């Protein structure tokens, strides 16, 4: 399974900053040690043209040139630096690469970071500079159109299970029937002014495993009823965990692993390529956040193995369904 990383592009933050930058390098250490079959690739930077599929060019230039207003930097939550701008591009690039890998070969692929769902077309917010899943959805649609002229537009389902609503993503795709945004999130958590997605499931503070998983089952059934997807982008946030200092929900390690299994099983049953990003995680104990994410990869590797077995079966060919031509 292909995994793309940019943890060596470290964003310099002031002492006491609450963003846990160290979690990315720690996660790569754990994954490298425990899952030696993972195929690692360094994230490339997203280009201006790729970013402009979603973001306003004036905003892209302001990030690149360091001319973001102080208020804009405060809303993002990071001070501007060349490293901040470079890391933001590579976080998008990793999700683009994961989507291409999942679609070309069938199965699953991942960005070890990403899930920057609070970024709007014209601004960043909530530790998110550019919106990686939105750019990825648009780029995959453009590449599908070039490879499949005359076919209907690629339909992308974004399954956002970070504890915070993906407000930027919801706003970007508000009037677009080719992208479906599903979000399970804390009702009283950031952002305090939510955007209307296609399917929003607000959850109460203290929500535990059974309640969460029942809500997810219902949401996936509703997604299936309302939308015929070709590709799934999954935000596997660690912040619904009971030990997260910003999450306010009470999911256990087992509950979060069951969450991941439900999403990946849903995609597998429909033979849908799935690219995932790690999104938020702010545990009081950094190792707890990393453990949630390691568990996600364990589940993903199991489903990726199913795809590989399917691809090796002569009667089924590549096993990638409608993506067979796209891989050519």
């Amino acid at each position: 399974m292909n995994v793309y990383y940019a943890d060596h592009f470290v964003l310099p933050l002031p002492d006491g900053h609450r963003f846990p930058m160290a979690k990315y390098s720690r996660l790569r250490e754990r994954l490298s040690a425990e899952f030696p079959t993972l195929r690692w690739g360094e994230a490339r930077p997203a280009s201006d043209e790729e970013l402009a599929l979603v973001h306003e060019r004036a905003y892209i230039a302001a990030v690149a040139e360091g001319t973001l207003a102080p208020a804009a930097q405060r809303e993002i939550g990071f001070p501007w630096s060349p490293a901040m701008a470079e890391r933001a591009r590579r976080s998008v690039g990793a999700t683009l690469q994961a989507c291409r890998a999942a679609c070309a070969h069938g199965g699953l692929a991942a960005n070890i970071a990403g899930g920057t769902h609070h970024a709007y077309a014209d601004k960043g917010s909530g530790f998110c500079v550019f919106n990686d899943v939105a750019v990825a959805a648009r780029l995959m649609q453009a590449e599908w159109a070039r490879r499949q002229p005359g076919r209907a537009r690629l339909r992308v389902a974004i399954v956002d299970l970070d504890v915070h609503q993906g407000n930027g993503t919801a706003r970007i795709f508000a009037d677009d029937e080719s992208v479906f945004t599903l979000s399970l999130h804390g009702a009283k958590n950031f952002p305090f002014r939510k955007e209307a997605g296609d399917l929003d499931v607000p959850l109460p503070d203290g929500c535990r495993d059974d309640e969460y998983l029942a809500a997810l089952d219902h949401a996936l059934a509703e997604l299936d009823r309302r939308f015929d997807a070709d590709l799934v982008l999954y935000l596997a946030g660690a912040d619904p965990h009971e030990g997260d200092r910003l999450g306010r929900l009470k999911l256990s390690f087992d509950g979060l692993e069951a969450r991941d299994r439900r999403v990946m099983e849903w995609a597998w049953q429909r033979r849908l390529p799935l690219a995932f990003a790690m999104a938020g995680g702010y545990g009081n104990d950094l190792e707890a956040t990393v453990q949630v994410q390691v568990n996600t990869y364990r589940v993903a590797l199991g489903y990726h193995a199913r795809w590989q077995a399917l691809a090796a079966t002569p009667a089924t060919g590549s096993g990638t369904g409608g993506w067979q031509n796209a891989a050519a």
Side-chain angles (χ1 to χ4, degrees), residues 17-19 75-78 116 118 125-129 246 282:
H17 197 284
R18 62 179 180 169
F19 189 81
E75 185 167 358
I76 291 171
F78 296 143
T116 47
H118 298 311
S125 180
F127 304 141
C128 303
V129 181
L246 302 183
Y282 312 92

Side-chain angles (χ1 to χ4, degrees), residues 41-326:
E42 180 178 315
R44 66 166 186 79
S47 68
D48 283 359
E49 293 304 312
E50 289 167 340
L51 294 174
L53 293 169
V54 166
H55 293 287
E56 294 185 3
R57 289 188 179 274
Y59 176 61
I60 298 169
V63 173
E65 297 164 9
T67 58
L68 286 170
Q73 295 181 53
R74 286 194 297 272
E75 185 167 358
I76 291 171
F78 296 143
W80 185 88
S81 66
M84 176 266 223
E86 182 68 14
R87 181 181 176 277
R89 285 182 182 270
R90 289 181 184 265
S91 186
V92 176
T95 297
L96 301 182
Q97 289 167 281
C99 284
R100 285 174 171 148
C103 293
H105 307 298
L108 296 86
N111 176 358
I112 203 169
T116 47
H117 58 169
H118 298 311
Y120 286 71
D122 61 342
K123 67 175 184 176
S125 180
F127 304 141
C128 303
V129 181
F130 299 122
N131 194 313
D132 65 314
V133 291
V135 175
R138 284 284 182 251
L139 184 64
M140 297 311 296
Q141 288 180 327
E143 292 184 354
W144 171 271
R146 287 196 296 270
R147 291 180 173 126
Q148 310 269 356
R151 290 191 61 174
R153 194 175 195 185
L154 181 77
R155 292 167 65 82
V156 181
I158 298 175
V159 179
D160 189 340
L161 302 187
D162 188 281
V163 80
H164 305 106
Q165 194 223 21
N167 53 332
T169 310
R171 181 71 188 114
I172 288 165
F173 296 118
D175 300 314
D176 189 336
E177 294 184 355
S178 69
V179 178
F180 191 100
T181 58
L182 183 164
S183 176
L184 270 69
H185 52 262
K188 297 180 179 179
N189 212 324
F190 179 89
F192 303 109
R193 182 170 179 261
K194 310 290 194 290
E195 300 282 355
D198 292 298
L199 180 54
D200 290 306
V201 184
L203 300 166
D205 286 1
C207 176
R208 295 187 180 275
D209 293 352
D210 289 348
E211 182 180 0
Y212 186 98
L213 294 172
L216 177 58
D217 287 341
H218 179 78
L220 291 173
E222 183 69 7
L223 167 59
D224 203 36
R225 186 183 70 82
R226 293 170 52 185
F227 192 75
D228 185 17
D230 300 300
L231 169 66
V232 180
L233 302 183
Y234 174 36
L235 280 66
D239 43 13
H241 185 252
E242 59 191 348
D244 196 274
R245 55 193 164 85
L246 302 183
R248 300 171 65 166
L249 303 188
K250 297 295 182 182
L251 272 69
S252 68
F253 289 119
D254 288 345
L256 285 164
E257 188 168 337
R259 172 202 69 171
D260 296 332
R261 196 172 302 280
R262 278 165 162 78
V263 174
M264 294 175 189
E265 178 69 19
W266 185 89
W268 162 252
Q269 289 294 334
R270 291 152 186 80
R271 303 300 188 264
L272 299 175
L274 183 148
F276 64 99
M278 303 321 300
Y282 312 92
N284 292 306
D285 176 3
L286 180 68
E287 289 300 320
T289 293
V290 172
Q291 187 62 56
V292 172
Q293 297 171 333
V294 168
N295 293 346
T296 299
Y297 276 84
R298 182 180 297 107
V299 173
L301 278 166
Y303 280 94
H304 189 72
R306 293 189 189 185
W307 275 95
Q308 299 311 296
L310 184 67
T313 303
T316 59
S318 70
T320 56
W323 284 100
Q324 286 180 299
N325 292 333

Side-chain angles (χ1 to χ4, degrees), residues 3-7 24 27-28 31 40 94 110-114 278 297:
V3 184
Y4 299 91
Y5 66 92
D7 57 286
Y24 301 114
L27 176 59
R28 184 151 68 103
L31 294 176
W40 293 95
N111 176 358
I112 203 169
M278 303 321 300
Y297 276 84

